[in-house]
Amino acid sequence: MAMEIRQTGVFGAEITGVDLARLSDEEFGAIRQAFVDHGVVFFRDQDLTEDQHIAFARRWGQININRFFAAHPAYPEIALVVKEAAQKDNIGGGWHTDHSYDEVPALGSILLAREVPPSGGNTLFASMYAAYDALPDYLKREIEGVRAVHSAKHIFGTNVREELRNADTREGRFGNAAVADVLADVTHPIALVHPLSGRKAIYVNPAFTIGVVGRDEEAGRQLLAELYKHCVEGDFATEFVWAEGSMAFWDNRATWHYALNDYHGHRREMHRITLEGEPLS
């Protein structure tokens, strides 16, 4: 069966007819171009070992060893995204983009489903290319050349924000709070020029963005709230329905994602590998 690339919904592409453990250079090149063009690519029925998952990731670049997620006991390159049947809180249950708190944010994440609930547990992805393109002109002018502040402390640190203090994600699923406490806050452009596509995208997110450079707290909050409202209420999202062996590979510089927490009483285990990125402009 020949490889086929098909757009899914509003954005993203599902790629079929390919075995990621045995990719030719030609197939890899086509997948790379689809990733650049669509911002997120999806695969089905990938029977990959942990070594094959890592090998696929290494074809894209250097792997980022996650500092805060629990790691696979035998493969430190793989972060475990797990919710046990008895746990109430999931990981990633709100709109965000991974690693925006790093000085050089991650390129993207490659998430492979190992165990999924009988229903629920889908992930929403939103295109920040489309969100930027749909901004009113006055807001494009307002954010041009402006930078926002991103931080990990209030999510992963010792003094987390109030709604996370009693979350059971901190019971063996998140760690290294002391590392987050001393991680310096960073700034990135609100309207970035994507290093691969050259397109503009909105690069703030409700989880890790805490302010706007050059604005007081209230003015920064108001600008971010306006951007978030636009991104959430616009028609920029697609929903991916997981099955065992499904994989999503998203570009952190061009997308948001949201893991739905609607499968209480069932276990879900995902294996995530994150790739190092490059400075943003």
Side-chain angles (χ1 to χ4, degrees):
M1 180 178 177
M3 184 172 69
E4 182 180 352
I5 300 172
R6 178 179 58 85
Q7 182 162 321
T8 56
V10 176
F11 91 112
E14 185 164 321
I15 302 177
T16 58
V18 66
D19 180 352
L20 297 180
R22 297 168 181 82
L23 279 181
S24 68
D25 289 342
E26 182 180 3
E27 288 171 328
F28 179 77
I31 292 171
R32 179 180 174 82
Q33 190 59 53
F35 176 77
V36 174
D37 292 341
H38 295 276
V40 58
V41 290
F42 305 112
F43 305 89
R44 299 287 186 187
D45 304 318
Q46 298 298 318
D47 185 22
L48 300 179
T49 65
E50 286 86 349
D51 285 319
Q52 289 168 335
H53 188 186
I54 292 168
F56 174 67
R58 284 180 173 154
R59 292 188 74 164
W60 295 84
Q62 183 178 348
I63 292 173
N64 175 291
I65 305 297
N66 194 283
R67 290 158 289 181
F68 305 123
F69 282 40
H72 190 296
Y75 298 90
E77 300 93 338
I78 297 174
L80 298 179
V81 183
V82 178
K83 183 187 174 190
E84 301 292 348
Q87 292 174 322
K88 65 181 179 67
D89 300 303
N90 72 335
I91 295 173
W95 284 114
H96 66 287
T97 190
D98 303 328
H99 289 255
S100 73
Y101 51 78
D102 284 337
E103 184 175 358
V104 179
L107 180 155
S109 295
I110 304 172
L111 189 66
L112 178 62
R114 293 296 187 184
E115 181 178 348
V116 298
S119 64
N122 299 340
T123 302
L124 304 176
F125 293 90
S127 170
M128 293 300 103
Y129 288 143
Y132 177 84
D133 291 343
L135 281 173
D137 289 341
Y138 82 87
L139 203 45
K140 287 181 179 178
R141 291 192 296 269
E142 187 171 359
I143 66 175
E144 186 64 30
V146 179
R147 299 178 72 86
V149 183
H150 299 250
S151 179
K153 296 181 179 68
H154 59 293
I155 302 292
F156 299 119
T158 303
N159 296 311
V160 299
R161 62 191 187 192
E162 185 174 356
E163 65 267 28
L164 297 178
R165 287 174 190 166
N166 297 315
D168 55 20
T169 50
R170 300 177 75 82
E171 299 172 5
R173 293 191 279 169
F174 286 163
N176 288 339
V179 173
D181 288 343
V182 299
L183 188 66
D185 295 344
V186 299
T187 70
H188 301 300
I190 294 178
L192 67 81
V193 178
H194 195 281
L196 295 180
S197 69
R199 297 176 62 186
K200 283 192 172 181
I202 295 174
Y203 195 69
V204 292
N205 68 93
F208 298 116
T209 309
I210 61 171
V212 177
V213 175
R215 301 200 179 196
D216 63 34
E217 183 176 351
E218 179 58 21
R221 186 196 66 76
Q222 290 180 0
L223 175 58
L224 292 173
E226 186 173 8
L227 290 169
Y228 298 155
K229 184 174 186 291
H230 168 81
C231 292
V232 170
E233 294 184 355
D235 187 19
F236 312 130
T238 192
E239 182 172 353
F240 186 59
V241 179
W242 293 97
E244 289 186 19
S246 296
M247 176 185 283
F249 178 20
W250 63 87
D251 189 322
N252 281 316
R253 292 85 51 95
T255 63
W256 284 0
H257 57 283
Y258 187 144
L260 298 177
N261 189 26
D262 57 354
Y263 52 98
H264 303 300
H266 297 281
R267 189 176 190 274
R268 181 177 184 266
E269 179 175 340
M270 318 292 278
H271 288 187
R272 194 183 88 178
I273 299 178
T274 299
L275 297 166
E276 296 283 8
E278 53 197 298
L280 301 179
S281 61

